[in-house]
Amino acid sequence: VQRYDHIIIGAGICGVTAAETIRARDAHGSILVIGDETHPTYSRVMLPHVVRGKTEEARIFLRDDAALAAKGIEVRRGASVTHVDAAAKTVATRDGVTYTYGKLLIASGGRPKTLAFHDIDGIVPQRLQTVEDARAVIAAQRGTSVVIGAGFIALELIMSYAQQGSKVVALLRRDGFFGDALDGASRERLARIVTENGVELRTRTEAVELHRDGDDVVVRTSDGGEIVAQTIGIGIGIDANIAFLDGSGIATGRGVLTDEFLRTDVADVYAAGDVAEFLDPLVGVRHVVGNWQNALFQGKLAGENMTGGDIAFSRVTAYSITCFGVPVSFLGATDIAPDRRVVREDGAGTVQLLIKDARIIGATCIGPFADRAWVMERIEGRTILTDADLAGFRQS
Amino acid sequence: MADKQPLKISKIHVDRDLCIGAATCAVIALKTFKMDDENKAVIIDPNGDDAETILMAAESCPTKAIFLEDENGTQIYPNA
């Protein structure tokens, strides 16, 4: 049994950032990072760029294993962790190796959700999480592409297939993109941008069955219709990779439960990034945030707290994309039901503030976001806003 | 680290086409970068932060949209 001072499960940006942070603060402790993909750590955020030919695949790699090894960070790739025993402080991998740790970080990320129904005739919808997924999307059969889902990944797939010259039909379970995160005006603006670019939106429509017809795929929809397509793409969110923690003694919910210091309920075990369901002091509840910025900064903070730090995670998260040329931005907590929404719309864009307990907890913007810094400051400062302040925002 | 030459950055460039507005640079090197209305990182002061901080900000970019050069015009980041 090999012993490491620090074991990190997950070799994505979160895990690797944590390892580098630990090394910067502890020159001698042994560090092992275990990742299930075989590639060196890469940027998933760049995959849409690769698919759309904006950047070459070779550019997406962020860290070289030799450079990590030179810093005394050992990386095992292509190894999946099958079990953790928090009482014995051990981690076991599928190939039968057991390690013991001094401190453990769970940064195992998530995996794309799959369709809930089973009538899919062996058809595997395209996704956009891995290098292999991106290669498959590049090679997608042109013609008609059906995209299932309403979030950022669904939008990336829609834009990719549209750029390939395919007719794109988007199936949205609810009234539009991003579910409850958007107010009606923002939802309509985004829908307009997408449809103006030739994409057909079918709202309140779900795929209920997929089957093959020669080289085609037939999608049966909840309204009784059928779409004959050449390619199916899916982006319906991710599930945290926590199955290997069954029986570990570490508490999980939607993700691995942590406090604001990213500590789990078990001593010396931390969680960070897409897999962490952390107590967020900015909103006072636990939630899972799955984006680049969160993964990077939580990895850094976990590394600090694993080496004697005592810092609460309190950061306004942000994610944005350019949707057919229009900036689409999410700031702060957009996954928590607000008490009210304040919306300002003009020719250029639609800004929505999500208000809870008289504070802005999150914001969205479809179009140029001139107020970004103003909003950010108020989320960060947990500033109490009066009705007059909000009226002022609406008229600004 | 102590035996290394001090890092010098003479030029910073943000590729607006690659930038997606993840905004990590503007958090790490907040005196150097800010996000504009279109959610693209722009340089407010090329000497706003020390070189190590600016390098950390560039390395944090998920699309490698920040390019750094030393005084000889050699690209420091991203590595070719």
Side-chain angles (χ1 to χ4, degrees), chain A residues 43 45-46 49 54 59 61-62 292-293 296-297 315 318-320 322 327 329 368-370 372, chain B residues 17-18 20-24 27-28 35 37-40 56 59-64 67 78:
Chain A
S43 169
V45 176
M46 262 201 262
H49 281 7
K54 266 193 188 182
R59 270 198 96 236
F61 297 97
L62 301 168
W292 175 269
Q293 212 198 65
L296 183 102
F297 289 129
R315 250 181 217 288
Y319 196 77
S320 56
T322 302
S329 321
F369 199 172
R372 185 191 166 99
Chain B
D17 194 39
L18 291 176
I20 59 146
T24 45
V27 176
I28 292 172
M35 308 312 292
D37 292 4
E38 292 177 352
N39 258 329
K40 305 286 184 183
M56 205 187 296
E59 286 175 342
S60 78
C61 175
T63 59
K64 289 191 190 170
F67 295 80

Side-chain angles (χ1 to χ4, degrees), chain A residues 4 41 62 126 157 162 198 227 240 251 323 325 383:
Chain A
Y4 288 86
T41 300
L62 301 168
Q126 295 192 330
L157 286 168
I227 308 163
C323 182
T383 314

Side-chain angles (χ1 to χ4, degrees), chain A residues 118-129:
Chain A
H118 297 288
D119 298 321
I120 53 176
D121 208 3
I123 298 155
V124 181
Q126 295 192 330
R127 314 182 304 197
L128 203 43
Q129 194 200 22

